[in-house]
């Protein structure tokens, strides 16, 4: 179905009008408010910063396991003594505190007082040798001078000490041993970000078996020289960039996919500082074919995904673009649409692509950072979900024939945040696909709820509408549960999985092979030393947004972290469907500011390992070595045009356990996971039925497959019992 040219013109005109109205409203909304109101806001802000600094003093004492260093004076010595005593009791069964990060999670101002709730995440080792993570909560009351903003401590009460997780680590850091410890380099052309000085996107990576030896290799993006690592039988990785024919290139985003269907996985690189580049894999040699393929239009590329969107058998390509972080602001910041348009390239089947973005109705100008294809409405073709910075994510329903329709609101997928990642999987095992989106988890949404927030008269009139947007945008990651027929609802486990930090590439995985999908969420924004500057950042961005908008100001961290010193999260799903955060305890919760994530069984031992591309820091390679259940891995081989069977849906039934997977490409911020489908089986020793629904509708069934093996399954219409000698199935 094609859109009539007149309708396209009307749609374009509507966008111009709507954009003009939004920009005018946005300018009026953020025009400075009255001086008296601003003074009250500044006074409260000063009080909040003083409370934050007090919380950091207590946290520093906890990290040093030395409560005696908490200061007191004549006015509050009794309270300081109580704090020291209570902290000593809390630390009584610890032998080491590795991390303690306080957060102001709730505030209440009266005429002359300030009440603050503080949550502190604490990690370390207990006296019995176990790793442990706890959540400490405190209620603190200050006398507050409205005129000066000065605070005086008048009460402190420890209200709780809750165990989050304890136990031994299951992941081991194998980075140095594997030869993957290179440091991500900053591009030599980075300018000042228009929001935070010096910030850039970081780099991603992709799993790619470029030489077809059965071991998953890694292409690691870099700001100056990206690296192709060859996997040497799971023991170590060697740099084969030059040997494989790749030049020194800047690559922030990466996609591995077989665009020409010859069975050799090709490589697409994206950059915020140049156009996308396509490298064709010719039996292990990578040759650039960007111009010959008629690609290269993207100038602010972030992530990419591929799927057969029109049913012609070959893989089409969707390239996401953001706005120019170094030249403009995302406006309006709750629903920015002033970015570069995303591009949908139709694969013509002859090695070339054609831009059909406009006719397909997916040329959004949101600040897109990640996206994924998946059959979200169960009608047999791939739909598209896009995670956008500064506002509302978007869901595009595939209508067939290369045409899409935005159906975000109807589907219930209107997640508003600083969208940075999306993952698709069936976490509740009901046969319907679910989504997990990555956003910012910050406690400082209360800054926007201040009654004296610096807004003009028009902003005050519409604050009931705007303020909830900003508060929602800071409430963390979102898990959407599929209801069928392309409809979704926010899962009831929100609080368990939303606290992902400043999250980037949150992804589904079954790390312990128990048959339940868990979630790994890399996070961290700007590294540094000292007290976290997040509260100053949000206060400053509110007070000076008009200056940010004009390019007259950026936020200077002065070398301090900006929500940087926080651990990556691993949310383990229990058999009952609840999630528990075990990042530190598991050994997967390091504090580097992660960006790209690759999930793959790199050492082929039947469990999933993690490769992280960190921000201007050493990469991390985490090898799973914990207790695990049985497993089955499926490596699909499809038609001549779609060699990896992208878009195929695979159902594995093992006794009472039924799992659904779909073959994807991309699905991680700037990055891509292994295309091999992984099924954890728990204690079950075989798969009773494996059903593959190929993209063309062909259904293939294989029965009675013994566990603990990787199968290569070639497309067929024949149903059979497992027989390792049969054509089309190999170990």
């Amino acid at each position: 179905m094609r859109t009539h040219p007149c309708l396209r013109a009307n749609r374009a005109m509507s966008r111009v009008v709507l954009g003009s109205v939004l920009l005018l409203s946005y300018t009026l909304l953020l025009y400075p408010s009255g001086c008296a109101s601003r003074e009250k806001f500044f006074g409260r802000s000063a009080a909040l910063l003083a409370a934050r600094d007090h919380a950091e003093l207590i946290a520093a004492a906890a990290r040093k396991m030395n409560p005696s260093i908490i200061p007191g004076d004549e006015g509050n010595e009794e309270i300081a003594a109580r704090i020291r005593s209570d902290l000593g009791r809390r630390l009584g069964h610890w032998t080491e505190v590795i991390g303690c990060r306080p957060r102001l999670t709730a505030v209440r101002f009266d005429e002359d007082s300030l009440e603050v709730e503080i949550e502190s995440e604490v990690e370390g080792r207990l006296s019995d040798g176990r790793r442990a993570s706890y959540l400490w909560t405190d209620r603190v009351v200050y006398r507050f001078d409205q005129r000066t903003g000065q605070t005086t401590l008048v009460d402190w009460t420890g209200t709780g000490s809750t165990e989050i997780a304890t136990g031994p680590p299951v992941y081991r850091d194998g980075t140095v041993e594997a030869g993957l410890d290179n440091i991500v380099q900053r591009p030599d052309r980075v300018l000042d970000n228009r929001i935070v000085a010096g910030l850039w996107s970081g780099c991603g990576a992709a799993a790619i078996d470029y030489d077809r030896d059965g071991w998953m290799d890694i292409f690691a993006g870099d700001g100056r020289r990206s690296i192709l690592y060859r996997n040497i039988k799971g023991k170590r990785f060697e740099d084969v960039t030059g040997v494989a024919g790749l030049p020194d290139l800047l690559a922030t985003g990466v996609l591995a996919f077989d665009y020409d269907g010859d069975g050799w996985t090709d490589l697409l690189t994206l950059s915020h500082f140049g156009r996308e580049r396509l490298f064709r894999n010719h039996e292990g040699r990578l040759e650039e074919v960007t111009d010959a393929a008629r690609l290269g239009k993207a100038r602010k590329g972030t992530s990419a995904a591929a799927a057969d969107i029109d049913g012609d058998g070959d893989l089409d390509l969707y390239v996401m673009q953001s706005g120019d972080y170094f030249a403009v602001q995302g406006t309006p910041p709750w629903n920015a649409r002033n970015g570069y348009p995303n591009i949908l390239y139709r694969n013509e089947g002859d090695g070339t692509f054609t831009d059909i973005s406009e006719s397909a109705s997916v040329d959004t100008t949101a600040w897109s950072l990640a996206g994924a294809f998946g059959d979200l409405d169960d009608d047999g073709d791939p739909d598209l979900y896009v995670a956008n910075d500064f506002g509302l994510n978007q869901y595009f329903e595939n209508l067939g024939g290369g045409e899409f329709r935005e159906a975000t609101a109807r589907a219930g997928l209107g997640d508003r945040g600083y969208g940075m990642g999306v993952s698709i999987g069936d976490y509740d095992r009901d046969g319907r696909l679910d989504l997990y989106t990555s956003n910012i988890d910050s406690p400082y949404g209360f800054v926007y709820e201040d009654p004296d927030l610096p807004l003009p008269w028009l902003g005050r009139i519409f604050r009931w509408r705007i303020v909830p947007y900003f508060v929602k945008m800071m409430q963390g990651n979102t898990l959407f549960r599929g209801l069928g027929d392309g409809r979704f609802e926010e899962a009831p486990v929100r609080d368990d999985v939303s606290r992902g930090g400043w999250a980037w590439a949150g992804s589904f995985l079954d790390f312990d092979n128990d048959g339940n999908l868990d979630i790994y969420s890399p996070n961290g924004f700007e590294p540094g030393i000292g007290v976290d500057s997040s509260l100053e950042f949000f206060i400053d961005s509110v007070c000076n947004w008009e200056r940010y908008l004009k390019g007259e100001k950026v936020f200077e961290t002065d070398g301090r972290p900006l929500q940087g010193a926080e651990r990556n999260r691993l949310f383990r799903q229990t058999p009952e469907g609840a999630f528990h955060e075990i990042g530190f305890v598991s050994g997967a919760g390091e504090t580097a500011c992660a960006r790209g994530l690759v999930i793959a069984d790199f050492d082929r031992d039947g469990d999933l390992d993690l490769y992280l591309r960190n921000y201007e820091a050493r990469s991390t390679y985490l090898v799973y070595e914990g207790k695990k259940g049985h497993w089955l891995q499926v490596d699909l081989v499809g038609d001549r045009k779609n060699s990896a069977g992208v878009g195929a849906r695979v159902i594995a039934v093992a006794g009472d356990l039924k799992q659904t997977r779909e073959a994807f490409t991309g699905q991680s911020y700037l990055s891509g996971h292994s295309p091999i489908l992984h099924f954890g089986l728990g204690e079950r020793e075989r798969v009773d039925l494996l059903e593959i629904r190929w993209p063309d509708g062909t259904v293939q069934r294989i029965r009675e497959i013994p566990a603990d093996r990787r199968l290569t399954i070639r497309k067929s219409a024949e149903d059979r019992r497992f027989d390792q000698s049969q054509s089309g199935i190999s170990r």
Side-chain angles (χ1 to χ4, degrees):
M1 184 170 66
R2 300 290 181 184
T3 303
H4 192 278
C6 292
L7 292 179
R8 290 203 300 270
N10 288 340
R11 188 177 68 203
M13 180 60 69
S14 297
R15 287 177 179 172
V16 171
V17 173
L18 178 60
S20 300
V21 171
L22 286 173
L23 185 59
L24 175 61
S25 301
Y26 167 69
T27 303
L28 292 172
L29 283 168
L30 293 182
Y31 192 81
S33 59
C35 293
S37 178
R38 289 174 67 87
E39 286 301 318
K40 289 181 179 179
F41 179 80
F42 289 143
R44 292 194 183 99
S45 298
L48 290 174
L49 290 170
R52 191 278 316 274
D53 290 344
H54 185 205
E56 289 286 352
L57 284 173
I58 298 173
R63 288 190 289 267
K64 295 179 180 179
M65 297 192 67
N66 185 6
S68 66
I69 67 176
I70 295 174
D73 54 39
E74 292 182 1
N76 64 10
E77 177 56 40
E78 180 183 349
I79 299 173
R82 192 189 334 149
I83 297 173
R84 291 192 288 263
S85 175
D86 194 82
L87 182 58
R89 285 194 298 271
R90 285 177 169 176
L91 294 172
H93 61 302
W94 295 72
T95 58
E96 181 184 16
V97 173
I98 297 174
C100 181
R101 292 175 304 283
R103 295 164 36 122
L104 276 60
T105 54
V107 301
R108 183 172 66 85
F109 283 96
D110 286 333
E111 190 65 27
D112 58 356
S113 69
L114 164 64
E115 183 177 325
V116 178
E117 180 184 86
I118 300 172
E119 289 185 353
S120 300
E121 293 183 340
V122 189
E123 301 108 2
R125 290 180 175 83
L126 302 179
S127 55
D128 59 8
R130 291 179 300 160
R131 284 192 174 203
S133 56
Y134 274 73
L135 186 67
W136 294 347
T137 54
D138 300 293
R139 173 183 169 272
V140 186
V141 180
Y142 298 90
R143 186 166 53 251
F144 168 56
D145 188 319
Q146 290 269 9
R147 183 176 56 84
T148 65
Q150 183 177 356
T151 59
T152 304
L153 179 65
V154 296
D155 189 35
W156 181 93
T157 305
T159 57
S161 179
T162 305
E163 177 185 296
I164 300 175
T166 60
V170 294
Y171 275 99
R172 174 181 62 84
D173 189 335
T175 312
V176 176
E177 172 188 330
L180 293 169
D181 56 334
N182 74 298
I183 295 175
V184 175
Q185 299 179 91
R186 167 180 289 262
D188 59 10
R189 64 192 81 177
V190 170
L191 305 173
D192 265 349
N193 186 292
R194 288 287 293 272
I195 300 176
V196 181
L199 192 73
W200 60 291
S201 63
C203 295
I208 172 174
D209 183 9
Y210 87 99
D211 54 1
R212 289 180 53 174
D213 66 351
W215 296 87
M216 201 56 62
D217 311 302
I218 298 173
F219 180 81
D222 187 75
R224 300 192 181 187
R225 180 184 181 270
S226 303
I227 303 172
L228 178 61
Y229 288 106
R230 180 170 178 260
N231 186 344
I232 310 299
K233 299 189 180 303
K235 302 297 183 183
R236 61 184 178 86
F237 291 78
E238 66 175 359
D239 182 346
V240 294
T241 311
V243 174
L246 287 171
D248 290 351
L249 71 142
L250 187 163
T252 50
V254 185
L255 178 69
F257 75 121
D258 183 9
Y259 83 95
D260 56 1
D262 65 354
W264 293 83
T265 305
D266 310 301
L267 187 67
L268 180 82
T269 66
L270 304 168
S271 171
H272 196 80
F273 308 97
R275 66 178 189 163
E276 80 266 27
R277 301 173 70 176
L278 179 64
F279 296 88
R280 179 175 180 267
N281 189 342
H282 181 68
E283 299 183 358
R285 290 281 299 178
L286 291 158
E287 174 189 6
E288 183 166 7
V289 293
T290 307
D291 293 334
R294 300 200 311 223
L295 296 179
K297 297 181 68 172
R299 288 297 182 270
K300 300 297 173 187
T302 53
S303 302
D308 179 10
I309 60 110
D310 50 9
D312 65 355
D314 49 33
L315 295 183
D316 309 294
L317 174 64
Y318 191 63
V319 175
M320 282 146 279
Q321 299 198 86
S322 68
D324 188 344
Y325 288 92
F326 307 103
V328 297
Q329 299 283 18
T331 55
W334 57 85
N335 197 31
R337 291 295 184 266
N338 63 328
Y340 283 69
N342 293 351
I343 304 172
L344 177 61
Y345 291 107
R346 183 179 62 215
N347 192 331
E348 301 295 355
D350 59 359
T352 67
F353 291 85
T354 300
D355 181 353
I356 61 167
S357 314
E358 185 178 357
S359 63
S361 303
V362 292
D363 54 336
T364 174
T365 55
W367 292 51
S368 302
L369 294 183
F373 285 107
D375 187 5
L376 298 175
D377 56 4
D378 297 315
D379 66 351
D381 53 29
D383 308 297
L384 175 65
Y385 190 78
V386 181
N388 298 321
D389 203 356
F390 302 115
L392 200 66
N393 294 345
Q394 293 170 284
Y395 165 59
F396 298 96
E397 178 187 4
N398 193 332
L399 303 177
E403 181 80 6
F404 289 80
R405 172 181 62 193
E406 184 172 354
T408 310
R410 185 184 67 81
L413 287 170
D415 192 29
R416 192 181 301 277
Y418 298 95
M420 292 172 279
V422 57
S423 183
I424 298 176
D426 179 17
Y427 86 92
D428 54 359
R429 294 190 283 104
D430 64 355
R432 296 186 287 264
L433 295 180
D434 312 302
L435 292 100
Y436 186 67
T437 65
S438 302
N439 296 300
I440 292 177
D441 162 37
S442 170
Y444 300 133
F446 55 70
V447 169
Y448 298 103
E449 296 177 306
D450 190 298
D452 293 299
L453 186 73
L455 293 175
W457 65 271
L458 185 58
R460 292 183 181 277
I461 291 173
F462 289 102
R463 66 174 292 124
W464 62 272
R465 181 74 170 178
I466 303 302
V467 168
Y469 285 168
F470 283 115
V471 173
K472 171 62 178 72
M473 290 172 69
M474 298 169 68
Q475 289 183 346
N477 299 353
T478 306
L479 178 62
F480 287 105
R481 176 174 173 265
L483 302 175
D485 192 30
R487 294 177 299 110
F488 293 80
E489 67 176 4
E490 195 167 325
V493 296
R494 172 172 178 81
D495 289 341
D496 297 327
V497 297
S498 64
R499 293 186 62 167
W502 200 301
W504 297 93
S507 299
F508 289 113
L509 80 166
D510 183 359
F511 80 94
D512 53 2
N513 287 352
D514 67 349
N516 297 305
L517 283 181
D518 314 296
I519 297 172
Y520 188 68
S521 182
N523 61 47
F525 189 47
E526 175 80 352
I529 299 173
V531 176
D532 184 83
S533 60
S534 298
L535 182 53
E536 287 96 330
F537 170 69
F538 288 112
I539 291 172
D540 190 71
S541 63
V542 167
C543 295
N544 295 292
W545 189 257
E546 64 275 8
R547 295 183 62 200
Y548 282 80
L549 190 65
K550 295 175 183 177
E552 297 174 353
K553 190 180 192 307
V554 295
F555 184 74
E556 298 280 356
T557 63
D558 296 324
R560 292 165 53 194
L562 176 53
Q563 205 159 334
E566 54 184 3
R567 294 194 180 276
N568 295 341
R569 310 286 184 167
L570 176 58
F571 300 100
R572 179 182 179 270
Q573 186 182 178
T574 69
E576 297 74 31
F579 287 85
H580 297 298
E581 205 288 302
I582 61 168
F584 171 74
V585 169
S586 70
E590 68 162 21
T591 57
C593 293
R595 290 294 188 270
L597 168 68
V598 179
I599 301 173
D601 182 7
F602 289 110
D603 52 7
R604 295 198 60 167
D605 64 351
D607 51 56
L608 296 174
D609 310 304
L610 309 172
Y611 176 76
L612 292 152
R613 204 72 176 138
N614 298 320
Y615 182 80
E616 295 187 1
R618 190 194 78 167
S619 298
T620 305
Y621 176 54
L622 298 174
V623 183
Y624 186 83
E625 293 185 341
K627 181 181 178 181
K628 62 175 180 281
H630 294 292
W631 53 277
L632 180 72
Q633 293 175 354
V634 177
D635 188 5
L636 297 175
V637 178
D639 289 331
R640 171 68 176 80
K641 291 184 175 182
N642 184 359
S643 67
V646 174
R649 183 168 291 192
V650 181
I651 299 171
V653 180
D656 61 339
L657 180 67
K658 182 178 180 180
Q659 302 177 73
T660 302
R661 302 281 188 270
E662 195 161 298
F664 303 117
T665 64
Q667 276 227 36
S668 182
Y669 173 73
L670 308 180
S671 306
H673 306 312
S674 168
I676 297 171
L677 304 180
H678 182 92
F679 297 87
L681 302 176
E683 298 180 355
R684 301 159 188 85
E685 297 182 349
R686 75 173 188 179
V687 171
D688 302 305
L689 172 66
L690 191 72
E691 180 178 285
I692 303 101
R693 188 191 75 188
W694 295 93
D696 65 358
T698 300
V699 177
Q700 181 178 356
R701 299 178 182 87
I702 306 168
R703 294 177 174 82
E704 299 180 9
I705 305 172
D708 303 330
R709 63 190 62 224
R710 177 184 291 183
L711 302 181
T712 299
I713 300 181
R714 293 174 173 81
K715 182 184 175 186
S716 169
E718 180 184 354
D719 295 349
R720 66 188 79 172
R721 291 180 182 272
F722 175 77
D723 182 347
Q724 193 164 321
S725 66
Q726 289 179 344
S727 173
I729 306 178
S730 60
R731 187 174 179 180

